[in-house]
């Protein structure tokens, strides 16, 4: 099944209010989003990029942006949060999640939310979309790799529902594996 044919999550992720007349919407990623992803990851603070990629960097390259943006065309899943406001930033990517199948019914999941838009529910909306897409793709487990101190990502993954079946720590990095709840 192509992820581009996936319906919006049934639990109704509507516009996410960000205050000051701004809100975000979440939708499946499209191949044309690659430039928005380049800009999004370039604009993240160095700390946010370090936390997302577990490495120091200035963003992602065009090849990675194209790969992320084509997720739904290659059997993976991806979603973006798009800023809605009156002004020049309208339409900017402010969140991204990717679900990359790794075999045996599992997928790696990774998420980033723009500085200044966190703690409004974008991460939860992205994760809910990713869980729904994972279930529709027949995936049974999500795996996340994160710094041990990344409590926000840990809490976000655990809030997705399901059962924690692996929690390993090595060298300051944790690997969490979540068995998804049945979709029935």
């Amino acid at each position: 099944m192509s992820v581009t044919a996936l319906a919006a999550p049934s639990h109704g992720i509507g516009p996410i209010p960000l205050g000051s007349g701004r809100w975000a919407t979440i939708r499946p990623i499209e191949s044309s989003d690659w430039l928005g992803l380049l800009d999004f990851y370039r604009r993240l603070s160095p700390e946010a990029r370090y936390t997302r990629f577990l490495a120091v960097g200035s963003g992602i390259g065009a090849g990675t942006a194209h790969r992320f943006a084509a997720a739904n065309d290659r059997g993976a899943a991806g979603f973006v949060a798009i800023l809605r406001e009156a002004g020049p930033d309208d339409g900017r990517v402010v969140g991204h999640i990717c679900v990359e199948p790794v075999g045996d019914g599992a997928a790696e999941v990774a998420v980033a939310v723009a500085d200044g838009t966190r703690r409004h529910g974008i991460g939860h909306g992205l994760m809910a979309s990713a869980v729904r897409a994972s279930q529709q793709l027949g995936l049974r487990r999500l795996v996340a790799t994160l710094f041990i101190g990344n409590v926000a990502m840990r809490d976000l993954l655990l809030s997705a529902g399901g059962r924690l079946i692996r929690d390993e720590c090595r060298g300051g990095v944790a690997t969490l594996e979540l068995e998804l709840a049945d979709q029935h």
Side-chain angles (χ1 to χ4, degrees):
M1 166 186 239
S2 170
V3 178
T4 55
L6 295 175
S10 62
H11 46 280
I13 299 172
I16 299 165
L18 302 174
S20 302
R22 302 175 335 142
W23 69 95
T25 57
I26 295 174
R27 64 167 172 76
I29 200 163
E30 300 170 356
S31 59
S32 60
D33 287 324
W34 75 275
L35 278 172
L37 288 175
L38 274 175
D39 183 58
F40 168 68
Y41 283 109
R42 181 183 55 80
R43 288 175 174 269
L44 282 180
S45 68
E47 297 83 14
R49 283 193 305 270
Y50 182 67
T51 300
R52 163 60 177 88
F53 293 105
L54 307 180
V56 175
S58 59
I60 61 174
T64 300
H66 279 287
R67 181 170 167 71
F68 283 162
N72 298 335
D73 298 331
R74 58 181 173 74
F79 294 87
V80 288
I82 304 296
L83 180 65
R84 298 298 176 203
E85 70 172 4
D89 289 336
D90 185 59
R92 181 172 301 224
V93 173
V94 294
H96 173 235
I97 195 164
C98 54
V99 178
E100 295 286 338
V102 293
D104 196 27
E108 183 176 6
V109 63
V111 64
V113 176
D115 301 295
T117 63
R118 294 189 193 111
R119 304 271 183 235
H120 292 281
I122 292 173
H124 285 282
L126 288 167
M127 185 62 74
S129 297
V131 166
R132 169 95 174 179
S134 297
Q135 291 169 326
Q136 289 179 346
L137 289 169
L139 300 167
R140 299 179 312 277
R141 297 182 320 282
L142 293 179
V143 179
T145 304
L146 54 133
F147 287 119
I148 290 172
N150 188 349
V151 176
M153 179 59 185
R154 181 182 189 83
D155 290 349
L156 182 61
L157 184 67
L158 295 177
S159 75
R163 181 174 63 96
L164 185 64
I165 58 174
R166 180 168 51 139
D167 187 351
E168 299 175 351
C169 299
R170 286 198 184 111
V173 175
T175 301
L176 303 178
E177 187 168 354
L178 187 71
E179 183 177 63
L180 297 175
D182 287 337
Q183 63 189 51
H184 303 347

